[in-house]
């Protein structure tokens, strides 16, 4: 029996993790859960899963929740309490599924404590790739990717990297694959969040529409698999059936396929190296044909290019990219800037922040703060 801690339990990945765990009560016990403010959803989860510990980052939400939850569950609050459950000696596996850079510190705590980290929070690697991977190695932690593309590559590379020439991430192209740049100007947040294949939280849905999500995934892949940027590329595949591919010098290519449903990826991270029932139907290739592939349009999806450039630049450029994107997406979701402004604002921010190394957690956090402040100022000045 494995004790699971889910950071970001009320979100889309959290929900799917609980759904897989429910199918295997003999294998997984829900030990601890966390959320930010959503105490109503957390109350329902507590009734169903009876966790030992719950962290609500928001103090008020924790206070309200404590009125509705029985004695079996201890309720903590505050951002530091996330580290407690991530590193708790009764936790075996940590699902790191908080959205945004705020999830980085607790993922690192899990790594320091030598846990199995099921990493959905790609920001941990985007901000602190070198530090995070070193911490995983130093503490014999296990790092299993929870992103369909990285899980696919992880599976394809099970027999090693001998003869590997490149890895190729597939991208659905999001809801605006065939929309002209002119029309993108007037896109609403709801339209941007209406993803054709995947059901996800709003922030990552916008990232998917701008293709920044793929950009962050390139950086994530670089760190996870220790592959240089020049050996990573992206192909658009609107059906999201091939999740990613690896290419070898003998001319062969290995891909991993499946229906687009995160429960497959999550169940693999929970059961690795075995495979268990996830509740996802088997793939029917005939009903999904034809499968299409396109090269990405880097003019239309400028964010993808920005991520490649930030990775090549290294140091704090990736943290700046991420912070500028998080701030800009929030403004967009609040109807304060247009869809196309997101990439412009990121570009301004990247051009404004000085380049430094990202060698310590303090330096990374400081840069994140400066980049956010700069992005707010740029938005106020230019929009
Ligand atoms: N969804 C997918 O299919 C998918 C696929 C691959 C990777 N990912 C990655 O997985 C992560 C989670 O994505 P998601 O789609 O599940 O996001 P989501 O649905 O928006 O859920 C986010 C979770 O994080 C919590 N949270 C938000 N702000 C927080 C804060 N300041 N402090 C602590 N917790 C906070 C939320 O709590 P409240 O509910 O209280 O706000 C919620 O539990 C992201 O990094 C995303 O890029 C997602």
């Amino acid at each position: 029996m494995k004790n699971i801690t889910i950071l970001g339990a009320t979100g889309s990945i959290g929900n799917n993790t609980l759904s897989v765990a429910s199918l295997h009560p003999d294998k997984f016990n829900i030990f601890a859960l966390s959320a930010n403010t959503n105490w109503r959803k957390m109350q329902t989860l507590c009734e169903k899963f009876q966790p030992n510990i719950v962290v609500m980052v928001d103090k008020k939400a924790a206070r309200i929740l404590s009125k509705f939850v029985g004695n079996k569950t201890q309720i903590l609050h505050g951002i530091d309490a996330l580290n407690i459950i991530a590193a708790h000696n009764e936790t075996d596996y940590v699902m790191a599924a908080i959205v945004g850079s705020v999830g980085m510190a607790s993922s690192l705590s899990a790594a320091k404590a030598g846990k199995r980290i099921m990493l959905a929070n790609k920001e941990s690697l985007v901000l602190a790739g070198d530090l995070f991977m070193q911490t995983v190695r130093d503490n014999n932690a296990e790092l299993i990717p929870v992103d369909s593309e990285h899980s696919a590559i992880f599976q394809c590379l099970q027999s090693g990297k001998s003869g590997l020439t490149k890895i190729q991430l597939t991208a659905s192209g999001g809801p605006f694959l065939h929309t002209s740049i002119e029309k993108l100007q007037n896109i609403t947040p709801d339209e941007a969040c209406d993803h054709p294949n995947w059901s996800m939280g709003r922030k990552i849905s916008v990232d998917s529409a701008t293709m920044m999500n793929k950009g962050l995934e390139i950086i994530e892949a670089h760190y996870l698999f220790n592959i240089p940027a020049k050996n990573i590329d992206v192909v658009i595949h609107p059906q999201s059936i091939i999740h990613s591919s690896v290419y070898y010098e003998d001319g062969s290519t290995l891909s991993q396929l499946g229906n687009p449903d995160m429960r497959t990826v999550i169940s693999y991270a929970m059961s690795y190296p075995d495979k268990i029932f996830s509740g996802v139907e088997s793939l029917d290739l005939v009903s999904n044909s034809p499968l299409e592939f396109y090269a990405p349009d880097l003019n239309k999806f400028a964010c993808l290019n920005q991520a490649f450039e930030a990775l090549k630049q290294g140091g704090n450029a990736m943290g700046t990219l991420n912070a500028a994107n998080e701030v800009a997406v929030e403004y967009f979701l609040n109807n304060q800037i247009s869809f196309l402004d997101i990439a412009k604002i990121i570009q301004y921010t990247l051009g404004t922040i000085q380049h430094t190394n990202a060698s310590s957690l303090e330096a990374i956090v400081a840069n994140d703060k400066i980049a956010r402040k700069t992005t707010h100022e740029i938005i106020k000045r230019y929009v």
Side-chain angles (χ1 to χ4, degrees), residues 281-321:
E281 270 184 38
S282 257
L283 179 62
D284 177 348
L285 276 176
V286 173
S287 69
N288 279 287
S289 63
L291 299 182
E292 301 162 282
F293 303 94
Y294 307 98
D297 176 347
L298 296 180
N299 265 335
K300 190 160 104 178
F301 297 112
C303 290
L304 187 56
N305 226 9
Q306 289 168 341
F308 261 120
E309 288 307 316
L311 174 57
K312 283 184 201 152
Q313 207 178 334
N316 63 347
M318 293 167 277
T320 302
L321 173 94

Side-chain angles (χ1 to χ4, degrees), residues 7-14 16 34-39 41 56-57 79 82 96-100 102 119-123 146-149 198-204 207 213 217 262:
L7 305 169
T10 49
S12 159
I13 294 286
N16 280 321
S34 89
N36 186 23
T37 55
N38 193 347
W39 63 267
K41 177 86 183 276
M56 297 302 296
V57 170
I79 196 89
L82 295 172
I98 291 175
V99 66
V102 70
L119 190 69
N121 178 268
K122 56 194 75 176
E123 295 82 357
V146 176
D147 223 339
S148 57
E149 297 75 2
W198 298 96
S199 155
M200 307 180 284
R202 281 173 81 76
K203 192 266 174 183
I204 185 179
D207 286 351
N213 185 45
E217 286 177 4
M262 286 306 288

Side-chain angles (χ1 to χ4, degrees), residues 12 98-102 120-123 126-127 189 192-193 195 200-214 216 321-333 339 342 346 372:
S12 159
I98 291 175
V99 66
S101 57
V102 70
N121 178 268
K122 56 194 75 176
E123 295 82 357
V126 172
L127 268 79
C193 290
H195 196 280
M200 307 180 284
R202 281 173 81 76
K203 192 266 174 183
I204 185 179
S205 297
V206 176
D207 286 351
S208 203
T210 60
M211 287 197 75
M212 178 57 92
N213 185 45
K214 206 53 51 184
L216 299 178
L321 173 94
N322 181 69
N325 180 56
E326 282 189 21
V327 173
V329 169
E330 203 179 317
Y331 274 84
F332 170 68
L333 284 172
F339 183 76
I342 297 173
I346 295 168
R372 280 166 200 278

